[in-house]
Amino acid sequence: MTKLSHDEVWDKFKDIKGVKQLLESALLLYSLLIDADTPKWLKTIAVAALLYLITPIDVIPDFIPIEGLIDDLAVLTAAISSIKSHIKPHHKTQANEFFNQL
């Protein structure tokens, strides 16, 4: 049995499209959330979507492989779509930097 390091596991996770997109979306919303210039109403949308992601009670429980992440991804995607015009290049850059630190 081959033992993988933490970094190797994260690299493999980053390569899985659904997981990668989920992480990127969450980090983009987080980037908006920590930006002092982000309006409160927009932060409310980001917080709601991120809370849905991290709470264990979902429409489809997270412990179910693949399908458990689909509803989380759908909520994050809907949140981002609803605030897309307010996402600035520096938010995307910061989210990408966060992603690369994982």
Side-chain angles (χ1 to χ4, degrees), residues 69-81:
L69 299 177
I70 291 173
D71 65 324
D72 294 335
L73 183 56
V75 168
L76 295 181
T77 301
I80 290 171
S81 293

Side-chain angles (χ1 to χ4, degrees), residues 26-54:
L27 292 171
L28 180 57
L29 289 170
Y30 179 72
S31 179
L32 286 161
L33 186 61
I34 62 174
D35 184 349
D37 294 331
T38 300
K40 287 184 182 185
W41 68 268
L42 199 145
K43 286 186 179 191
T44 301
I45 293 171
V47 166
L50 291 170
L51 280 174
Y52 187 85
L53 173 66
I54 62 173

